[in-house]
Amino acid sequence: MDEQAFTARVTGDDRVEPRDEMPDGYRRTLVRQIAQHAHSEIIGMQPEGNWITRAPSLRRKAILVAKVQDEAGHGLYLYSAAETLGADRDELLDLLHTGRQKYSTIFNYPATSWADVAAIGWLVDGAAIVNQVPLTRCSYGPYARAMVRICKEESFHQRQGFEAMAVLAAGSPAQRRMAQEALDRWWWPALMMFGPSDVDSPNSAQSMAWGIKRFSNDELRQRFVDATVPQAEFLGLVVPDPDLRRDEETGHYRTGQIDWSEFATVMRGDGPCNRERLARRVAAHDDGGWVREAAAAYAAKHAAARAVAA
C-alpha cells in the first residue's frame, strides 16, 4: 500500500482497525511491541506472586492476589490484541519460551523483602503508567482500547505500592531501613524500563511517525523522574543518585548517568533472575497443558453438537 498516505492518515489521529489495509512494517512493529508488552505482564507476575504466602497481613495478601490476577488479565488483553493482527498466541509464547522475544528487563531482578513488593508497586508500576498512558492514543485501535483498562488498573497498583512504602517509611527504624534499601535497589532499574535514548534506536522514529509511540524514551523517563522524586522526598527517603539535582531554569530534575552496560547485560539474558524467570514460566505453561487440552476438547464437542443440531 501507499505508506506515505498511510502515515498521513495516522498523523491525523485516524485509528487503524484490524480489517484496514496497513503496511507490513506497521503490522510487524505492532506485533513485536504488543507481544513484548504481553510477555512482560505474565513474567511480571512472578516477583510479587512469590510473596503472596508471605504477605504481612490478610489485607496485604488480598491486595497482592488482586494485583497478580490483574497482570494475568493484562497479558490476556494484549495477546488478544496481537491476534487481531494475525499473530498466533501459541507462536508468540513459543518465541518467549525459547528466548527469541524479550520482556521488560525490570522483571529479572529479585524481590528480596516485603519492601521490594511495595517498591515494585510504587516505582515499576509508576514507570509503567507513564509509559503506557500515551499508548491509549496509539494509532492501532485494539491496542489503544486495551490500554485504557490496563492503565486504570496500573494506577491502582501504583497507589497501593506507594501506600505500602509510606507505612514502612513511617514505621520502626528497621522498617524505614527496609524501605530505603528497596528504593536503592529499584530506582535505577526503573529508569532503565524506558529504554535507551531514542537516538540509539533505528525503529523509534518510524514508530512515532506511525503514531504507535507518542513520546521519546527520554521524555517519558523525565516525566517519571519529575513525578517520583517529590514522592520520595515526601516519604523521607533518599533517591540513590548523588548527582540528582533540580534545574531551576526548567524545573526538571536531572539525574546522573544510567549504567546502560547493566541494561545490556540483563537484556541479553545474564541478569540476576533471567534464567529463573523463564524456566518458571515454561514449567507453568507445560503444567497447564492438560487444562488447554480439556478446554479445546470441550469446545470441539459443543461445536460438533451445534453443527448436528443445525
Side-chain angles (χ1 to χ4, degrees), residues 77-215:
Y77 310 151
L78 293 165
Y79 285 125
S80 297
E83 287 176 324
T84 67
L85 290 159
D88 181 270
R89 190 177 311 190
D90 289 337
E91 291 179 5
L92 294 179
L93 288 171
D94 184 63
L95 290 171
L96 168 65
H97 297 163
T98 56
R100 289 176 289 164
Q101 280 188 345
K102 304 297 184 181
Y103 55 88
S104 178
T105 56
I106 194 73
F107 299 118
N108 290 309
Y109 290 87
T112 58
S113 75
W114 174 254
D116 283 13
V117 175
I120 290 171
W122 172 35
L123 299 175
V124 176
D125 292 309
I129 291 168
V130 171
N131 198 33
Q132 293 172 13
V133 165
L135 292 175
T136 63
R137 296 170 52 223
C138 171
S139 59
Y140 187 60
Y143 191 23
R145 289 189 288 272
M147 292 312 305
V148 172
R149 177 166 179 174
I150 289 172
C151 287
K152 288 179 180 178
E153 293 176 349
E154 293 289 5
S155 180
F156 161 76
H157 301 165
Q158 192 274 343
R159 287 197 297 272
Q160 67 83 24
F162 182 79
E163 187 266 342
M165 284 294 282
V167 170
L168 291 169
S172 68
Q175 289 174 315
R176 290 196 295 274
R177 186 167 58 251
M178 285 174 58
Q180 181 62 59
E181 290 172 350
L183 173 57
D184 294 346
R185 282 191 289 272
W186 291 94
W187 174 254
W188 292 106
L191 296 190
M192 294 179 201
M193 280 181 67
F194 298 95
S197 176
D198 290 88
V199 297
D200 300 322
S201 171
N203 300 316
S204 186
Q206 184 62 76
S207 292
M208 294 184 74
W210 278 333
I212 297 173
K213 288 183 66 170
R214 296 287 177 173
F215 302 97

Side-chain angles (χ1 to χ4, degrees), residues 10 14 41 63 77 82 107 111 142 162 177 202 220 232 253 265 306:
V10 295
D14 189 7
E41 296 287 355
I63 291 172
Y77 310 151
F107 299 118
F162 182 79
R177 186 167 58 251
L220 293 171
Y253 287 91
T265 297
R306 287 194 298 271

